[in-house]
Amino acid sequence: MTVASKGSGSRRTVRDVVFVEGVRTPFGKARPDGIYAHTRADDLAVKAVRELLRRRPELPTERIDEVALAATTQTGDQGLTLGRSVAVLAGLPKSVPGFAIDRMCAGAMTAVTTTASAIAIGAQDVTLAGGLEHMGHHPMGEGADPNPRFVAEKLVDSTALVMGATAENLHDRFPHLTKERADAYGVASQAKYAKALANGDVTPDLVPIALRDPQQGWGLATADELPRPGTTVEDIAHLKTPFRPGGKVTAGNASPLTDGAAVSLLAAGDVAAELGLPARMRLVSFAYVGVDPEVMGIGPIPSTEKALAQAGLSIEDIGLFEINEAFAVQVLAFLDHFGMPDDDARVNQYGGAIAVGHPLAASGVRLMTQLARQFEQHPEVRYGLTTMCVGLGMGGTVVWENPHHADYSGHTTDASTNAEN
């Protein structure tokens, strides 16, 4: 802990927080015949934690100060204070605490920013943060009992609690965001994911998961189950519109129901240097903002504006974007607002959730892990961001700095070259 004395007490000095490593399971179909139909949700997170520790043997496990894990539906095999229960199941020292967190789709993102805040003020040095969602075992909203006052007192529109319906509302609010544009975006996501997979940009982040099926026996999940390579606009043009007759949201331009987990390792910049851990990204700023729940997909717009303002940056300073593709229309609304083309090369270079899936509370760390890899490939880019819309009308954004850039301002092992941000 870094402290500086002042008066009768002491003040902590804000420290750099760096993203050291991120891993995820292969993502599976949330169906009775999906790869994880007979796998426990918490075991997915356990495997991710163990893989993080395997990859970073220089980290003494007793140095881990917190395990924060998110899930949107915290019951059954993804309940019981996930952070603590997964820490114990993964074999961490009993001295390592943990907790569960919920901000629906931004659960893992919130786990990261919450523990990063503790690191920044010196209360913690090293944390594990992530999320999991087994939507096959626990469909979104399972067991929930929304207060009838939401609708009875017209606090929200009746569509606000159905995410696909909010995407249809977004199409209504911005009619220039057509189904044709959404379908084209969905097809492009599939193509970009297929290219990234072929280029070797996806598999290195995956944790193989042992499987057991009562009918088929043992197996090993090593690849994402959901992508549909070769998809064309013609293939998806006439898919059903499940949220509204004659609507615009289909399985071709929306993320599928998904099972999976993702976990990251965070550390203070000076602690990472002490332990020999790599700094793959530095956290610059973050913001969460509320919007009308009926059009929750616009959430990333104000959260990005707020995060950029806090960092003293503009949208032109961002060289790489990882935007969660809950629905294509939500990404298109973001791009239009900031004057970016639908096929902007800076956006979702490896494809997105429309192709790979969206296991709700896990997706935030998938975005971060992919951005970290893209930073390595693009040292000319100094800043990137991860952003997502969030159920019940919210948006979340995290701005990151690339340590491979020549003007990187974060902690370095040579204190004399550590510039002020």
Side-chain angles (χ1 to χ4, degrees):
M1 182 182 301
T2 303
V3 297
S5 297
K6 184 173 182 179
S8 59
S10 63
R11 289 182 180 270
R12 292 183 173 95
T13 300
V14 175
R15 303 185 297 176
D16 288 336
V17 181
V18 297
F19 182 97
V20 174
E21 189 80 74
V23 299
R24 67 175 178 88
T25 69
F27 288 171
K29 298 176 181 178
R31 302 189 331 197
D33 61 347
I35 55 176
Y36 299 132
H38 304 283
T39 302
R40 288 182 59 96
D42 49 11
D43 280 340
L44 295 177
V46 168
K47 288 293 293 183
V49 169
R50 287 178 173 171
E51 176 63 13
L52 272 180
L53 300 178
R54 187 193 70 79
R55 294 188 183 195
R56 301 268 63 99
E58 62 270 45
L59 172 65
T61 54
E62 64 272 13
R63 292 294 299 271
I64 299 172
D65 294 307
E66 188 73 271
V67 180
L69 290 178
T72 301
T73 307
Q74 295 186 18
T75 187
D77 59 349
Q78 59 188 40
L80 195 62
T81 314
L82 277 169
R84 174 60 173 173
S85 59
V86 167
V88 173
L89 290 166
L92 295 179
K94 300 300 192 298
S95 59
V96 177
F99 65 99
I101 201 163
D102 174 22
R103 200 196 297 263
M104 297 186 78
C105 304
M109 177 179 282
T110 304
V112 166
T113 56
T114 299
T115 60
S117 299
I119 292 172
I121 67 165
Q124 297 174 353
D125 286 339
V126 180
T127 67
L128 300 180
L132 65 146
E133 210 76 51
H134 199 309
M135 300 182 77
H137 291 177
H138 308 290
M140 188 174 184
E142 178 192 44
D145 181 19
N147 195 305
R149 292 198 303 110
F150 276 123
V151 176
E153 297 182 13
K154 298 183 179 180
L155 301 175
V156 300
D157 184 82
S158 60
T159 60
L161 302 180
V162 180
M163 298 304 101
T166 69
E168 291 284 9
N169 292 342
L170 202 55
H171 275 291
D172 292 344
R173 179 171 292 194
F174 303 110
H176 62 283
L177 303 180
T178 63
K179 181 178 184 296
E180 290 71 25
R181 285 179 68 182
D183 283 354
Y185 185 90
V187 167
S189 180
Q190 297 284 350
K192 287 191 288 185
Y193 173 87
K195 180 180 178 181
L197 182 66
N199 289 344
D201 294 325
V202 175
T203 305
D205 297 330
L206 302 185
V207 181
I209 303 293
L211 308 170
R212 183 184 180 279
D213 185 289
Q215 304 300 322
Q216 301 182 40
W218 290 94
L220 188 68
T222 59
D224 296 311
E225 187 179 23
L226 295 126
R228 300 182 298 276
T231 298
T232 67
V233 172
E234 292 73 25
D235 292 334
I236 65 174
H238 303 293
L239 294 177
K240 294 180 180 178
T241 57
F243 303 106
R244 180 189 298 177
K248 297 179 174 65
V249 179
T250 73
N253 58 39
S255 58
L257 302 179
T258 312
D259 302 334
V263 182
S264 64
L265 172 62
L266 307 172
D270 57 341
V271 173
E274 171 201 341
L275 297 175
L277 298 169
R280 299 182 67 194
M281 302 192 293
R282 182 181 75 89
L283 195 154
V284 177
S285 68
F286 66 88
Y288 299 95
V289 172
V291 298
D292 290 341
E294 297 85 355
V295 285
M296 64 98 191
I298 64 172
I301 295 172
S303 65
T304 294
E305 291 176 332
K306 185 175 181 180
L308 289 174
Q310 289 176 345
L313 300 172
S314 70
I315 199 71
E316 288 76 21
D317 293 310
I318 305 302
L320 289 166
F321 296 78
E322 277 293 317
I323 308 172
N324 191 46
E325 298 171 354
F327 303 96
V329 66
Q330 157 251 317
V331 182
L332 294 175
F334 180 97
L335 298 177
D336 268 21
H337 177 83
F338 288 109
M340 301 165 63
D342 293 3
D343 60 351
D344 195 303
R346 299 170 294 173
V347 176
N348 294 6
Q349 294 193 342
Y350 300 166
I354 291 174
V356 74
H358 174 28
L360 301 181
S363 289
V365 164
R366 176 186 67 81
L367 302 178
M368 295 171 191
T369 301
Q370 293 188 174
L371 181 62
R373 188 168 299 282
Q374 291 162 22
F375 272 169
E376 294 167 1
Q377 297 169 343
H378 296 280
E380 77 281 4
V381 171
R382 185 172 182 183
Y383 297 107
L385 65 76
T386 54
T387 188
M388 59 202 317
C389 60
V390 189
L392 294 183
M394 293 180 283
T397 299
V398 188
V399 177
W400 302 90
E401 185 180 15
N402 186 355
H404 305 285
H405 191 273
D407 297 323
Y408 177 59
S409 64
H411 179 90
T412 65
T413 54
D414 180 1
S416 65
T417 64
N418 186 27
E420 292 291 333
N421 181 26

